[in-house]
CSV table of all heavy atoms in Angstrom, one decimal:
chain,number,residue,atom,x,y,z
C,1,VAL,N,140.7,165.3,71.7
C,1,VAL,CA,142.1,166.0,71.7
C,1,VAL,C,142.4,166.4,73.1
C,1,VAL,O,141.4,166.5,74.0
C,1,VAL,CB,142.1,167.2,70.8
C,1,VAL,CG1,141.7,166.8,69.4
C,1,VAL,CG2,141.2,168.3,71.4
C,2,PRO,N,143.6,166.4,73.5
C,2,PRO,CA,144.0,166.8,74.8
C,2,PRO,C,143.4,168.2,75.2
C,2,PRO,O,143.4,169.1,74.5
C,2,PRO,CB,145.6,166.8,74.7
C,2,PRO,CG,145.9,166.1,73.6
C,2,PRO,CD,144.8,166.2,72.6
C,3,ILE,N,143.1,168.3,76.6
C,3,ILE,CA,142.5,169.4,77.1
C,3,ILE,C,143.4,169.8,78.3
C,3,ILE,O,143.7,169.1,79.2
C,3,ILE,CB,141.1,169.3,77.6
C,3,ILE,CG1,140.2,169.0,76.4
C,3,ILE,CG2,140.6,170.7,78.3
C,3,ILE,CD1,138.7,168.8,76.9
C,4,SER,N,144.0,171.0,78.3
C,4,SER,CA,144.8,171.5,79.4
C,4,SER,C,144.2,172.7,80.0
C,4,SER,O,143.8,173.7,79.3
C,4,SER,CB,146.2,171.9,78.7
C,4,SER,OG,147.0,172.4,79.7
C,5,ILE,N,144.0,172.8,81.3
C,5,ILE,CA,143.3,173.7,82.0
C,5,ILE,C,144.3,174.3,83.1
C,5,ILE,O,144.9,173.6,83.8
C,5,ILE,CB,142.1,173.2,82.7
C,5,ILE,CG1,141.1,172.6,81.7
C,5,ILE,CG2,141.3,174.3,83.4
C,5,ILE,CD1,139.8,172.0,82.2
C,6,ALA,N,144.3,175.6,83.2
C,6,ALA,CA,145.2,176.3,84.2
C,6,ALA,C,144.7,177.6,84.7
C,6,ALA,O,143.7,178.1,84.1
C,6,ALA,CB,146.6,176.5,83.6
C,7,ASN,N,145.1,178.1,85.7
C,7,ASN,CA,144.8,179.4,86.3
C,7,ASN,C,145.1,180.6,85.2
C,7,ASN,O,146.2,180.5,84.6
C,7,ASN,CB,145.4,179.7,87.6
C,7,ASN,CG,145.3,181.1,88.1
C,7,ASN,OD1,146.1,181.9,87.9
C,7,ASN,ND2,144.2,181.3,88.8
C,8,GLU,N,144.2,181.5,85.0
C,8,GLU,CA,144.4,182.5,84.0
C,8,GLU,C,145.6,183.3,84.3
C,8,GLU,O,146.3,183.7,83.3
C,8,GLU,CB,143.1,183.4,84.0
C,8,GLU,CG,142.6,184.0,85.2
C,8,GLU,CD,143.3,185.3,85.5
C,8,GLU,OE1,143.7,186.1,84.6
C,8,GLU,OE2,143.4,185.7,86.7
C,9,ALA,N,146.0,183.7,85.5
C,9,ALA,CA,147.1,184.5,85.7
C,9,ALA,C,148.4,183.7,85.6
C,9,ALA,O,149.4,184.2,85.1
C,9,ALA,CB,147.1,185.0,87.2
C,10,ALA,N,148.4,182.4,85.9
C,10,ALA,CA,149.6,181.5,85.7
C,10,ALA,C,149.8,181.4,84.1
C,10,ALA,O,151.0,181.4,83.6
C,10,ALA,CB,149.3,180.2,86.2
C,11,LEU,N,148.7,181.4,83.3
C,11,LEU,CA,149.0,181.5,81.8
C,11,LEU,C,149.3,182.7,81.3
C,11,LEU,O,150.1,183.0,80.4
C,11,LEU,CB,147.7,181.0,81.3
C,11,LEU,CG,147.2,179.5,81.4
C,11,LEU,CD1,145.9,179.2,80.8
C,11,LEU,CD2,148.3,178.6,81.0
C,12,GLY,N,148.8,183.9,82.1
C,12,GLY,CA,149.1,185.2,81.7
C,12,GLY,C,150.7,185.6,81.8
C,12,GLY,O,151.2,186.1,80.9
C,13,VAL,N,151.3,185.1,82.8
C,13,VAL,CA,152.7,185.2,83.0
C,13,VAL,C,153.5,184.5,81.9
C,13,VAL,O,154.5,185.0,81.4
C,13,VAL,CB,153.2,185.0,84.4
C,13,VAL,CG1,153.3,183.5,84.7
C,13,VAL,CG2,154.6,185.6,84.7
C,14,LEU,N,153.0,183.3,81.6
C,14,LEU,CA,153.7,182.5,80.6
C,14,LEU,C,153.5,183.2,79.3
C,14,LEU,O,154.5,183.2,78.5
C,14,LEU,CB,153.0,181.2,80.5
C,14,LEU,CG,153.7,180.1,79.6
C,14,LEU,CD1,155.1,179.8,80.0
C,14,LEU,CD2,152.8,178.8,79.6
C,15,ALA,N,152.3,183.8,79.0
C,15,ALA,CA,152.2,184.5,77.7
C,15,ALA,C,153.1,185.8,77.5
C,15,ALA,O,153.7,186.0,76.5
C,15,ALA,CB,150.8,184.9,77.5
C,16,GLU,N,153.2,186.5,78.7
C,16,GLU,CA,154.1,187.7,78.7
C,16,GLU,C,155.5,187.3,78.5
C,16,GLU,O,156.3,188.0,77.9
C,16,GLU,CB,154.0,188.5,79.9
C,16,GLU,CG,152.5,189.1,80.1
C,16,GLU,CD,152.2,190.2,79.1
C,16,GLU,OE1,153.2,190.7,78.4
C,16,GLU,OE2,151.1,190.5,78.8
C,17,HIS,N,155.9,186.2,79.1
C,17,HIS,CA,157.3,185.7,79.0
C,17,HIS,C,157.6,185.2,77.7
C,17,HIS,O,158.8,185.4,77.1
C,17,HIS,CB,157.5,184.5,80.0
C,17,HIS,CG,158.9,184.0,80.0
C,17,HIS,ND1,160.0,184.6,80.5
C,17,HIS,CD2,159.4,182.7,79.6
C,17,HIS,CE1,161.0,184.0,80.4
C,17,HIS,NE2,160.7,182.7,79.9
C,18,ARG,N,156.7,184.6,76.9
C,18,ARG,CA,156.9,184.1,75.7
C,18,ARG,C,156.7,185.1,74.5
C,18,ARG,O,157.6,185.1,73.6
C,18,ARG,CB,155.9,182.9,75.3
C,18,ARG,CG,156.1,181.6,76.2
C,18,ARG,CD,157.0,180.7,75.5
C,18,ARG,NE,157.2,179.6,76.2
C,18,ARG,CZ,156.4,178.4,76.3
C,18,ARG,NH1,155.3,178.4,75.5
C,18,ARG,NH2,156.7,177.4,77.0
C,19,ARG,N,155.7,186.0,74.7
C,19,ARG,CA,155.5,186.9,73.5
C,19,ARG,C,155.2,188.3,73.9
C,19,ARG,O,154.8,189.1,73.0
C,19,ARG,CB,154.3,186.3,72.7
C,19,ARG,CG,154.4,184.9,72.2
C,19,ARG,CD,153.3,184.5,71.3
C,19,ARG,NE,153.5,183.1,70.9
C,19,ARG,CZ,154.4,182.7,69.9
C,19,ARG,NH1,155.1,183.6,69.2
C,19,ARG,NH2,154.5,181.5,69.6
C,20,GLY,N,155.2,188.7,75.2
C,20,GLY,CA,154.8,189.9,75.6
C,20,GLY,C,155.8,190.8,76.2
C,20,GLY,O,157.0,190.8,75.8
C,21,ALA,N,155.5,191.5,77.3
C,21,ALA,CA,156.4,192.5,77.8
C,21,ALA,C,157.5,191.9,78.6
C,21,ALA,O,158.5,192.6,78.9
C,21,ALA,CB,155.6,193.4,78.9
C,22,ALA,N,157.5,190.6,78.9
C,22,ALA,CA,158.6,190.0,79.6
C,22,ALA,C,159.5,189.1,78.8
C,22,ALA,O,160.2,188.2,79.4
C,22,ALA,CB,158.0,189.2,80.8
C,23,VAL,N,159.5,189.2,77.5
C,23,VAL,CA,160.4,188.5,76.7
C,23,VAL,C,161.9,188.7,77.0
C,23,VAL,O,162.3,189.9,77.2
C,23,VAL,CB,160.1,188.7,75.1
C,23,VAL,CG1,161.2,188.1,74.3
C,23,VAL,CG2,158.8,188.3,74.6
C,24,GLY,N,162.6,187.7,77.3
C,24,GLY,CA,164.0,187.8,77.7
C,24,GLY,C,164.1,188.1,79.2
C,24,GLY,O,165.4,188.2,79.6
C,25,VAL,N,163.1,188.1,79.9
C,25,VAL,CA,163.2,188.3,81.4
C,25,VAL,C,162.9,187.0,82.1
C,25,VAL,O,161.8,186.5,81.8
C,25,VAL,CB,162.3,189.5,81.9
C,25,VAL,CG1,162.4,189.6,83.4
C,25,VAL,CG2,162.5,190.8,81.1
C,26,ASP,N,163.8,186.5,83.0
C,26,ASP,CA,163.6,185.2,83.6
C,26,ASP,C,162.8,185.3,84.9
C,26,ASP,O,162.4,184.2,85.4
C,26,ASP,CB,164.9,184.5,83.7
C,26,ASP,CG,165.4,184.0,82.4
C,26,ASP,OD1,164.6,183.9,81.4
C,26,ASP,OD2,166.5,183.7,82.2
C,27,ASP,N,162.8,186.4,85.6
C,27,ASP,CA,162.2,186.6,86.9
C,27,ASP,C,161.0,187.5,86.8
C,27,ASP,O,161.2,188.7,86.6
C,27,ASP,CB,163.2,186.9,88.0
C,27,ASP,CG,164.2,185.9,88.1
C,27,ASP,OD1,163.9,184.8,88.4
C,27,ASP,OD2,165.4,186.3,88.0
C,28,VAL,N,159.8,187.1,86.8
C,28,VAL,CA,158.7,187.9,86.4
C,28,VAL,C,157.6,187.7,87.5
C,28,VAL,O,157.2,186.6,87.9
C,28,VAL,CB,158.0,187.5,85.0
C,28,VAL,CG1,156.9,188.5,84.7
C,28,VAL,CG2,159.2,187.5,84.0
C,29,LEU,N,156.9,188.8,87.9
C,29,LEU,CA,155.7,188.8,88.7
C,29,LEU,C,154.6,189.5,87.8
C,29,LEU,O,154.8,190.6,87.4
C,29,LEU,CB,155.8,189.6,90.0
C,29,LEU,CG,154.6,189.8,90.8
C,29,LEU,CD1,153.9,188.5,91.2
C,29,LEU,CD2,154.9,190.7,92.0
C,30,TYR,N,153.6,188.8,87.6
C,30,TYR,CA,152.4,189.2,86.7
C,30,TYR,C,151.2,189.3,87.6
C,30,TYR,O,150.9,188.4,88.3
C,30,TYR,CB,152.2,188.2,85.6
C,30,TYR,CG,150.9,188.3,84.8
C,30,TYR,CD1,151.0,189.1,83.6
C,30,TYR,CD2,149.8,187.7,85.2
C,30,TYR,CE1,149.9,189.3,82.9
C,30,TYR,CE2,148.6,187.9,84.4
C,30,TYR,CZ,148.7,188.6,83.3
C,30,TYR,OH,147.5,188.9,82.6
C,31,LEU,N,150.5,190.5,87.6
C,31,LEU,CA,149.3,190.7,88.3
C,31,LEU,C,148.2,191.0,87.3
C,31,LEU,O,148.4,191.7,86.3
C,31,LEU,CB,149.4,191.9,89.2
C,31,LEU,CG,150.4,191.8,90.4
C,31,LEU,CD1,150.5,193.1,91.2
C,31,LEU,CD2,150.1,190.6,91.3
C,32,SER,N,147.0,190.3,87.6
C,32,SER,CA,145.8,190.5,86.8
C,32,SER,C,144.7,190.9,87.8
C,32,SER,O,144.6,190.3,88.8
C,32,SER,CB,145.5,189.3,86.0
C,32,SER,OG,145.1,188.3,86.8
C,33,GLY,N,144.0,191.9,87.5
C,33,GLY,CA,143.0,192.4,88.3
C,33,GLY,C,141.7,192.7,87.5
C,33,GLY,O,141.7,193.5,86.6
C,34,GLU,N,140.6,192.1,87.9
C,34,GLU,CA,139.2,192.5,87.5
C,34,GLU,C,138.3,192.4,88.6
C,34,GLU,O,138.5,193.1,89.6
C,34,GLU,CB,138.8,191.4,86.4
C,34,GLU,CG,138.1,192.2,85.1
C,34,GLU,CD,137.8,191.2,84.0
C,34,GLU,OE1,137.4,190.1,84.3
C,34,GLU,OE2,138.1,191.7,82.8
C-alpha cells in the first residue's frame, strides 16, 4: 500500500487545521517542542 512520510510538525499543523485548534483558520503557525 502507499506510504507517505513527512515532518511531524508539518503534519501537526495540518491536523490542527483539519480537526484541532485551528479549524476555520487559514494562516497558522504551529510549534512543537520536545
Side-chain angles (χ1 to χ4, degrees):
V1 302
I3 298 178
S4 179
I5 303 177
N7 172 264
E8 52 87 27
L11 294 176
V13 72
L14 186 61
E16 294 294 344
H17 181 69
R18 291 270 178 87
R19 302 191 184 279
V23 170
V25 180
D26 284 341
D27 299 302
V28 185
L29 170 61
Y30 169 92
L31 295 177
S32 66
E34 221 175 45

